[in-house]
Every structure is written in structure tokens, then in C-alpha cells.
Amino acid sequence: EAQVTQNPRYLITVTGKKLTVTCSQNMNHEYMSWYRQDPGLGLRQIYYSMNVEVTDKGDVPEGYKVSRKEKRNFPLILESPSPNQTSLYFCASREAGVLETQYFGPGTRLLVL
Amino acid sequence: QKEVEQDPGPLSVPEGAIVSLNCTYSNSAFQYFMWYRQYSRKGPELLMYTYSSGNKEDGRFTAQVDKSSKYISLFIRDSQPSDSATYLCAPSKGGATNKLIFGTGTLLAVQP
């Protein structure tokens, strides 16, 4: 079954405590991205990756890091989380240049105290 | 001004009604127009998409784009309680990164 998985699904943490949200896809997709979803603001892209070792900033990259060492994995790193990073996070993947193949993960709900 | 505007709702309709969901956009370079459906506590899933102007039909769903007025519509015929979800429009200019610009979503509730 084609899928994007994220872990953890729910996370409560405190300000400044580094955390990583993992993302993995089993479709051999080149393109992967991270979004955050906030009420009234919709889905906003944080970072994206066109392929292994190729990453670039999206619209709201401040406070986040990513890496793409393997094609299937695209972890999101919050080095020093702050309360304004409390949000619902989605990982997505698709074939490069083929919008209609985009799959989203199930989401990670993060609360930063 | 946001690039994509979408009425957040909620929109409540009785089962069997025709539903019209709409977005407006400001960037005339958008060429691809996607509609995603997001159930509660789930990730968005692609419902349908169109390229450039015109209509596209898929079962009970019809997507319509009017580029002259920068208006995107999704129609649902014979709506069902299982259609209750948030609907997100997401246009794109295409190109190498094919970046999607998402609307805020419209919450639809179909009452049995």
C-alpha cells in the first residue's frame, strides 16, 4: 500500500528541547515536503526536497531544519522549539513534477509549552 | 492580500443537496487547480484537479475554473454524510517545484 508515515503522531514538549519528527514514504518519490497547518492560515510549506541531498526553504522555514540522506526519509528537526511552533504538521511526497501524485502523511500534532 | 482566498464555513447542508465550494485567487500565473479533501484527524487527499480553464467531472464531483475572473469552484451533487470534511483548494503555477498554494479550507457538514 502506497503511504507516507510520520512519527510521532502526537507530541507534547517544552520550549528549547530539541525534537525530530520522522517522515518516510514507500513510493520511491523524488519530491518530499513538510507543511504546517494552522487555523485561519491553512497549509504552509516549511521545507521541500527535490531529491537526496537537495533541500530548499518553503514559505515558513524559520526555526526548522531538514535533511534528506535517503530517498525515502525526510525528517523535520526543531532544534529549539518555541510555543509559536505549536501546530499540526504534515509530510508529503510525490513524483517530481507530477502534482497529482502527491500523498500526505497522517499528521503530527505538536504542542510546545 | 492572500494569493488564495477560501470561505472557511462551516457550511451545513441536508443530505442530497448540491454543494458549491469556491476559491478566488490573485496570481494569473496559476495553471493547475487541485482540490483536496481532509477528514477530521487525517491528512489531505487529492480529490480532483484541472489544468487551465474549464470543467472536469468525476462522479458526483465537478471542478470548474474561470481564469478570467480567477474563480475556482467544486460542486458536489447528491451530497452524502460521508462527504463531511474540509475541502482545500490548491492552485499551482507548475514548473520545476510545482509549488501548491493552499486555501484555508471550507468545512462542510452534510446532515443525514
Side-chain angles (χ1 to χ4, degrees), chain B residues 12-19 78-80 109-112:
Chain B
S12 182
V13 301
E15 183 174 353
I18 297 174
V19 177
D78 187 25
S79 56
Q80 303 294 308
V110 181
Q111 307 298 334

Side-chain angles (χ1 to χ4, degrees), chain A residues 19-88:
Chain A
L19 66 92
T20 299
V21 184
T22 64
C23 172
S24 184
Q25 50 95 2
N26 64 359
M27 295 163 280
N28 202 37
H29 286 166
E30 298 88 1
Y31 184 101
M32 297 185 73
S33 55
W34 276 101
Y35 294 85
R36 60 178 290 174
Q37 187 174 37
D38 302 287
L41 297 176
L43 278 159
R44 295 177 294 166
Q45 192 181 61
I46 303 170
Y47 268 94
Y48 66 94
S49 170
M50 298 286 284
N51 214 323
V52 176
E53 302 290 4
V54 181
T55 63
D56 208 346
K57 296 176 181 178
D59 297 316
V60 288
E62 295 78 19
Y64 304 95
K65 284 177 59 177
V66 293
S67 69
R68 187 94 181 271
K69 294 182 172 24
E70 303 167 283
K71 197 171 187 180
R72 63 181 292 127
N73 296 323
F74 190 44
L76 179 69
I77 303 157
L78 284 71
E79 295 264 355
S80 183
S82 62
N84 65 11
Q85 292 179 297
T86 292
S87 187
L88 179 57

